[in-house]
């Protein structure tokens, strides 16, 4: 398969164009290293100003959206150890958080002295959402460029629950563990406001509405949350602008007794649903749902091209996929069979 000579985006990626040197438009459009470095310094300064501001407040200083994976665990470490913030960690349990990840979170929360809330919606609701997400067409092609349909649904719920919690508890910073490949620098820090949140919520809820109907509202901020709030939180993704490398991340979180889970596939350190979600995406879209993120990491110099390509080759663990299928009551092999034909 033909890929960008610089990052790793494949010819199957929607809208991809290669120039005569075989370099894609995302790489060509990328601002030069100096400009990006300057932008990162500005964001870091802005973040440190915000930290100084919120530290004088009573109550929690920030709500950390914590998946238990290595990036968000490292972000939690930064918030506590580097910035000395009073943190409430919140985890959305999609019903597929691996037992090893849950054990990690128990250890890390104690070692870092953070309060931790796990929100786990009832499974019949989650099942409805995830089964609907296996069908093509739930999300726009644009939304699927960075994450599978199942991941999109999961992130929408996690974001909604976190946002509602931040508004209810009047927490001024809402922190995410997105890595530089996952979000653009321009959205690494932003102040939310009612109009923006209204638009964000409508966009996040619309695809889920058909699958979940009126059960959905309890997981998202409601009108009164938006109307009765005075100080709207900042959204911050510190890893997007703080320099770090994989080795530092692993070293820091291992000091907290975080261990790499052996019960997920190596692409995800927390979610059992991941392999299944990736397989369906690859089959429906023709490119790996992580390819944009990995390409971003290569472009930004956080990962070598070889390493990124190797990550794409990581195969799903059949036993993990089979367990997901059994729990959701769907079968990939049955879905593969054409209409009217018996399952393969
Ligand atoms: Zn490229």
């Amino acid at each position: 398969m033909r890929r960008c000579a610089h990052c790793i985006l494949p010819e199957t990626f929607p809208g991809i164009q290669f120039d005569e040197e075989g370099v894609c438009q995302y790489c060509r459009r990328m601002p030069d290293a100096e400009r990006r470095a300057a932008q990162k310094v500005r964001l870091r300064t802005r973040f440190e100003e915000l930290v100084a501001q919120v530290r004088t407040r009573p109550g929690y200083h920030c709500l950390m959206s914590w998946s238990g994976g290595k990036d968000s665990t490292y972000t939690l470490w930064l918030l506590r150890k580097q910035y000395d913030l009073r943190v409430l960690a919140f985890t959305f349990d999609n019903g597929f958080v691996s037992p090893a990840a849950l054990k990690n979170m128990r250890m890390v929360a104690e070692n870092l002295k953070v309060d931790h809330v796990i929100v786990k919606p009832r499974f019949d609701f989650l099942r409805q959402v995830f089964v609907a997400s296996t069908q093509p067409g739930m999300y726009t092609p644009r939304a699927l460029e960075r994450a599978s349909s199942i991941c999109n649904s999961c992130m929408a719920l996690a974001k909604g629950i976190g946002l509602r919690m931040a508004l209810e508890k009047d927490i001024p910073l809402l922190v995410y563990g997105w890595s530089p490949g996952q979000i653009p620098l321009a959205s690494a820090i932003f102040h939310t406001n009612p109009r923006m949140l209204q638009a964000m919520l409508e966009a996040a809820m619309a695809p889920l509405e058909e699958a979940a109907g009126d059960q959905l509202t309890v997981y998202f901020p409601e009108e009164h949350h938006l109307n009765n709030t005075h100080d709207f939180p900042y959204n911050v993704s510190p890893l997007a602008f703080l320099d770090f490398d994989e080795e530092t991340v692993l070293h820091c979180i291992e000091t907290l007794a975080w261990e790499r889970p052996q019960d997920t596939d190596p692409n995800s350190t927390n979610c059992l649903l991941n392999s299944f979600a990736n397989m369906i995406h690859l089959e429906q879209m023709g490119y790996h749902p992580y390819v944009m993120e990995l390409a971003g990491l290569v472009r930004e110099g956080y990962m070598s091209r070889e390493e990124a390509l190797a990550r794409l080759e990581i195969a799903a663990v059949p036993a993990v996929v089979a367990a997901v299928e059994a729990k959701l009551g769907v079968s990939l092999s049955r879905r593969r069979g054409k209409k009217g034909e018996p399952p393969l």
Side-chain angles (χ1 to χ4, degrees):
M1 188 188 294
R2 190 174 175 212
R3 291 183 185 276
C4 169
H6 182 223
C7 71
I8 56 166
L9 287 180
E11 61 191 351
T12 50
F13 196 78
I16 193 90
Q17 287 160 10
F18 299 115
D19 64 14
E20 61 282 1
E21 288 167 52
V23 175
C24 78
Q25 74 268 37
Y26 297 94
C27 288
R28 284 288 170 220
R29 269 197 230 127
M30 179 147 165
D32 60 62
E34 238 169 80
R35 254 182 65 189
R36 271 183 304 125
Q39 198 183 354
K40 284 184 184 180
V41 171
R42 280 198 300 277
L43 285 165
R44 185 183 185 138
T45 307
R46 182 79 190 106
F47 178 55
E48 283 168 1
E49 285 166 6
L50 283 173
V51 164
Q53 254 174 47
V54 302
R55 242 208 242 110
T56 61
R57 291 175 48 132
Y60 291 114
H61 300 142
C62 65
L63 180 67
M64 170 76 212
S65 186
W66 188 27
S67 71
K70 62 180 169 48
D71 288 348
S72 69
T73 302
Y74 176 65
T75 308
L76 194 60
W77 180 91
L78 282 170
L79 297 173
R80 288 291 297 128
K81 296 287 184 183
Q82 199 110 317
Y83 296 103
D84 191 27
L85 292 171
R86 209 177 298 127
V87 183
L88 177 62
F90 132 76
T91 299
F92 168 59
D93 183 347
N94 64 3
F96 292 94
V97 178
S98 87
L102 287 169
K103 182 174 164 240
N104 272 334
M105 287 192 268
R106 271 199 304 275
M107 297 295 292
V108 170
E110 286 307 324
N111 286 332
L112 275 178
K113 300 186 175 64
V114 296
D115 295 339
H116 184 203
V117 176
I118 299 177
V119 178
K120 190 191 164 301
R122 28 190 273 232
F123 192 72
D124 67 312
F125 162 76
L126 293 170
R127 190 183 161 277
Q128 267 176 304
V129 168
F130 292 141
V131 170
S133 307
T134 65
Q135 301 302 312
M138 191 162 172
Y139 290 96
T140 62
R142 191 74 206 274
L144 296 172
E145 285 180 3
R146 283 177 179 275
S148 67
S149 178
I150 286 177
C151 275
N152 266 289
S153 295
C154 210
M155 288 188 293
L157 286 168
K159 253 192 218 168
I161 294 168
L163 192 54
R164 182 171 174 138
M165 201 178 283
L167 294 172
E168 281 175 349
K169 296 185 187 297
D170 194 23
I171 303 176
L173 296 181
L174 187 44
V175 181
Y176 294 93
W178 300 128
S179 73
Q182 289 171 321
I183 57 150
L185 258 190
S187 55
I189 299 181
F190 63 89
H191 196 182
T192 61
N193 63 59
R195 256 184 65 192
M196 174 201 291
L197 291 182
Q198 191 64 49
M200 262 170 65
L201 290 172
E202 277 166 21
M205 291 171 77
L208 302 176
E209 254 149 17
E210 199 181 322
D214 56 6
Q215 304 174 75
L216 214 53
T217 53
V218 296
Y219 304 112
F220 289 85
E222 295 174 73
E223 225 175 289
H224 66 91
H225 292 104
L226 299 184
N227 293 339
N228 300 339
T229 302
H230 298 290
D231 294 330
F232 280 83
Y234 279 83
N235 259 40
V236 185
S237 305
L239 293 193
F241 53 83
L242 296 177
D243 284 320
F244 70 99
D245 56 70
E246 182 97 356
E247 219 173 300
T248 313
V249 169
L250 288 173
H251 172 75
C252 286
I253 63 181
E254 277 162 11
T255 63
L256 304 172
W258 186 95
E259 288 173 13
R260 181 176 285 282
Q262 302 297 326
D263 55 0
T264 55
D265 71 287
N267 251 326
S268 166
T269 50
N270 56 294
C271 178
L272 294 168
L273 192 51
N274 189 63
S275 280
F276 176 78
N278 292 351
M279 264 170 84
I280 294 179
H281 184 98
L282 197 55
E283 190 181 295
Q284 289 176 353
M285 308 303 293
Y287 62 92
H288 197 289
Y290 285 7
V291 76
M292 187 59 152
E293 174 188 344
L294 291 166
L297 291 170
V298 172
R299 230 175 272 131
E300 300 251 354
Y302 289 97
M303 189 183 278
S304 72
R305 199 169 182 275
E306 292 64 41
E307 167 73 13
L309 287 171
R311 297 270 178 112
L312 294 180
E313 295 305 317
I314 295 172
V317 179
V320 175
V321 172
V324 170
E325 290 186 334
K327 197 164 167 180
L328 289 180
V330 296
S331 161
L332 274 182
S333 47
R334 197 173 312 137
R335 286 188 331 100
R336 282 203 189 96
K338 291 200 184 88
K339 257 193 193 136
E341 281 180 12
L344 296 173

